[in-house]
Amino acid sequence: MLSGRTEVQVRPGVESDLSDLTELYNHYVRETAVTFDTVAFLPEERRPWLLSHPQDGPHRLLVAQERDPGARPGRLLGYATSSPFRPRPAYATSVEVSVYCAPDAAGRGIGTLLYKELLAALEGEDLHRAYAGIAQPNEASVRLHERFGFRHVGTYEEVGRKFGRYWDVAWYERPLGPRT
């Protein structure tokens, strides 16, 4: 998965991760259409988001962190979340999932590791479906989601405008919990 002696620890995100999480996310805000946020955040602006993801339950935040052979925690390599899909009560058994990797960690298996842990944790919750919206084009994200059993269920065409152009978002769905 990772080359050399680098080890990766996946754990719940905590408040002390807030600055690193914000910095990582802001890269995608400023440089890509992966997120439709258009203005970078300050860490204190992201605190409510972080606090909305407790260590257990259906809405989680997991981080991947480098660990050197001396067992010291290293830098944040990425994170994955499950969040409410929609605010109305009947949607409570559905979550929207996402994964973000540090730019230099992309393609190193971090997203796979994070989704493996997140989806395993969600299987123990009272959830029925996971959804992922993927701004197009993004073949790497499509491949990652398909590898985990997500299937394409539709595309919103030109649903967001960023960097002076319109972007499509493809929606993917995956069953969770007992199959009925």
Side-chain angles (χ1 to χ4, degrees), residues 97-99 115 119 131-134 138-151 172-174:
V97 296
S98 61
V99 63
Y115 259 4
L119 293 169
Y131 293 92
I134 304 171
N138 190 338
E139 285 303 314
S141 187
V142 167
R143 282 192 308 272
L144 174 67
H145 286 84
E146 289 177 343
R147 188 176 318 124
F148 281 96
F150 285 81
R151 68 179 182 84
Y172 286 76
E173 172 185 78
R174 180 187 189 275

Side-chain angles (χ1 to χ4, degrees), residues 9 20 30 36 45 52 61 63 66 74 90 108 113 132 140 172 177:
Q9 173 189 21
D20 291 338
R30 288 188 304 268
F36 285 177
E45 295 171 316
S52 72
L61 165 63
V63 300
E66 266 183 338
R108 295 171 53 194
L113 183 62
Y172 286 76

Side-chain angles (χ1 to χ4, degrees), residues 28-94:
Y28 288 95
V29 172
R30 288 188 304 268
E31 305 293 329
T32 76
V34 168
T35 176
F36 285 177
D37 280 315
T38 58
V39 177
F41 290 87
L42 296 171
E44 55 268 20
E45 295 171 316
R46 292 281 284 174
R47 182 169 277 110
W49 164 83
L50 182 133
L51 296 176
S52 72
H53 295 89
Q55 291 191 19
D56 57 8
H59 307 136
R60 297 185 187 218
L61 165 63
L62 296 180
V63 300
Q65 185 174 34
E66 266 183 338
R67 245 183 129 68
D68 72 20
R72 286 183 323 196
R75 69 186 181 94
L76 201 73
L77 298 171
Y79 69 91
T81 62
S82 58
S83 301
F85 178 66
R86 296 282 187 268
R88 293 182 179 91
Y91 288 113
T93 60
S94 297

